Amino acid sequence: KEDFSYVSRGKFLYRQEHETAAILSQVNETFVAGTSTLVLGPPSSGKSTLLKVIGGRCRKNEQEVLGSLTFSGTEGEKLNLNKVCSFIEQVDIHYPLLTVNQTLNFAFEAAGGKRTLSINGKNNTENEPKPVTGAVSEVVEALGLTNAQNTIAGDEIFRGISGGEKKRLTVGEMLFMRQPVMLCDEITTGLDSTTAFRIVEGICRSAKTMQTTPIVTLLQPSPDLIGLF
């Protein structure tokens, strides 16, 4: 739940030095686990700033958040937000010679090899971790990567999966990082409508199966994309 205002201090064009400007004001919203939230707005309306505030990525010497930000009733200042929130950037970086399955298996094991998943309303405990193959297969299916799971990621030299599949692979890696809140900042930029739909659909599906809380910002999405939320 968020109830805050966001103020930035610094030098602004056509403003006096060190003048303050309010970028977000009187934001009051609740994001529920297992549901996806779409944030819409024109360029420079504060969409990316909202995600930075939630994820604790504000520059403290220049920016200030007024109000309260809580996660399941706990003040955000008392938490390590890097362990609570994951950011999905616009740039996808993968080892080119690893297949989709190998990449996700590595991400799963690097994250500790254990994850509390919620499937059909039943939560796995730390004493009963999801098997590696089962957890990876679940993510592969949720993100629509079944047909590409044995294909290498590839790069400019080695031919591999498509750009849209790389984006879904990035999302899959983030699902294993244990952060319950996923902050997705205009992740469909530069993608065609079909690929963008599949990526957002996978994120929304994973929110229900894995009880994550995706917050997605999009610029001029199609009606079909809006209908997923």
Side-chain angles (χ1 to χ4, degrees), residues 188 192-202 222 224-225 227-228:
T188 61
D192 61 84
S193 58
T194 301
T195 301
F197 181 86
R198 289 178 178 176
I199 291 173
V200 177
E201 183 184 35
S222 65
D224 291 336
L225 277 181
L228 293 173

Side-chain angles (χ1 to χ4, degrees), residues 88-92 94 143 161-172 186-188 191 195 199:
I88 300 181
E89 307 287 353
Q90 295 186 22
V91 180
D92 304 304
H94 304 291
L143 296 177
I161 58 179
S162 66
E165 289 169 334
K166 286 183 180 179
K167 178 61 67 177
R168 280 178 273 169
L169 182 57
T170 300
V171 173
E186 297 187 7
I187 57 175
T188 61
L191 302 177
T195 301
I199 291 173

Side-chain angles (χ1 to χ4, degrees), residues 140-210:
V140 166
E141 182 179 357
L143 296 177
L145 291 170
T146 303
N147 295 331
Q149 57 184 324
N150 295 317
T151 305
I152 62 173
D155 58 8
E156 294 82 0
I157 299 176
F158 301 99
R159 183 177 179 180
I161 58 179
S162 66
E165 289 169 334
K166 286 183 180 179
K167 178 61 67 177
R168 280 178 273 169
L169 182 57
T170 300
V171 173
E173 289 178 304
M174 292 299 102
L175 290 175
F176 289 131
M177 298 311 294
R178 298 185 180 183
Q179 294 99 323
V181 180
M182 297 176 62
L183 305 175
C184 312
D185 188 15
E186 297 187 7
I187 57 175
T188 61
T189 300
L191 302 177
D192 61 84
S193 58
T194 301
T195 301
F197 181 86
R198 289 178 178 176
I199 291 173
V200 177
E201 183 184 35
I203 291 176
C204 294
R205 188 187 299 121
S206 67
K208 296 178 181 179
T209 59
M210 304 181 74

Side-chain angles (χ1 to χ4, degrees), residues 3 19 22 32 38 74 85 93 97 124 167 169 177 182 198:
D3 182 7
E19 186 176 349
V32 181
L38 173 62
T74 303
C85 304
I93 301 176
L97 297 181
N124 293 323
K167 178 61 67 177
L169 182 57
M177 298 311 294
M182 297 176 62
R198 289 178 178 176

Side-chain angles (χ1 to χ4, degrees), residues 7-12 18-21 60-64:
V7 178
S8 181
R9 294 191 178 93
K11 298 180 180 179
F12 298 91
H18 302 302
E19 186 176 349
T20 62
K60 295 182 179 180
N61 59 330
E62 297 181 4
Q63 299 152 343
E64 181 181 4

Side-chain angles (χ1 to χ4, degrees), residues 9-207:
R9 294 191 178 93
K11 298 180 180 179
F12 298 91
L13 188 63
Y14 305 123
R15 294 175 180 267
Q16 295 182 357
E17 188 174 346
H18 302 302
E19 186 176 349
T20 62
I23 298 177
L24 296 174
S25 180
Q26 298 180 350
V27 178
N28 191 338
E29 186 57 66
T30 300
F31 301 101
V32 181
T35 61
S36 304
T37 302
L38 173 62
V39 181
L40 297 175
S44 302
S45 61
K47 300 188 300 296
S48 298
T49 300
L50 175 64
L51 298 188
K52 289 181 180 180
V53 171
I54 296 174
R57 294 196 171 191
C58 301
R59 291 170 292 183
K60 295 182 179 180
N61 59 330
E62 297 181 4
Q63 299 152 343
E64 181 181 4
V65 178
L66 307 176
S68 62
L69 173 66
T70 61
F71 295 83
S72 298
T74 303
E75 291 288 338
E77 296 179 353
K78 299 179 181 179
L79 299 172
N80 183 351
L81 294 183
N82 289 328
K83 296 183 178 180
V84 176
C85 304
S86 63
F87 274 80
I88 300 181
E89 307 287 353
Q90 295 186 22
V91 180
D92 304 304
I93 301 176
H94 304 291
Y95 189 75
L97 297 181
L98 289 183
T99 66
V100 169
N101 262 335
Q102 291 171 334
T103 300
L104 292 176
N105 271 287
F106 178 79
F108 182 85
E109 295 179 355
K114 296 181 180 181
R115 180 177 176 84
T116 301
L117 302 179
S118 178
I119 309 300
N120 298 325
K122 297 180 180 180
N123 291 328
N124 293 323
T125 64
E126 289 295 324
N127 295 327
E128 299 177 351
K130 193 87 171 175
V132 173
T133 54
V136 170
S137 297
E138 186 175 273
V139 171
V140 166
E141 182 179 357
L143 296 177
L145 291 170
T146 303
N147 295 331
Q149 57 184 324
N150 295 317
T151 305
I152 62 173
D155 58 8
E156 294 82 0
I157 299 176
F158 301 99
R159 183 177 179 180
I161 58 179
S162 66
E165 289 169 334
K166 286 183 180 179
K167 178 61 67 177
R168 280 178 273 169
L169 182 57
T170 300
V171 173
E173 289 178 304
M174 292 299 102
L175 290 175
F176 289 131
M177 298 311 294
R178 298 185 180 183
Q179 294 99 323
V181 180
M182 297 176 62
L183 305 175
C184 312
D185 188 15
E186 297 187 7
I187 57 175
T188 61
T189 300
L191 302 177
D192 61 84
S193 58
T194 301
T195 301
F197 181 86
R198 289 178 178 176
I199 291 173
V200 177
E201 183 184 35
I203 291 176
C204 294
R205 188 187 299 121
S206 67

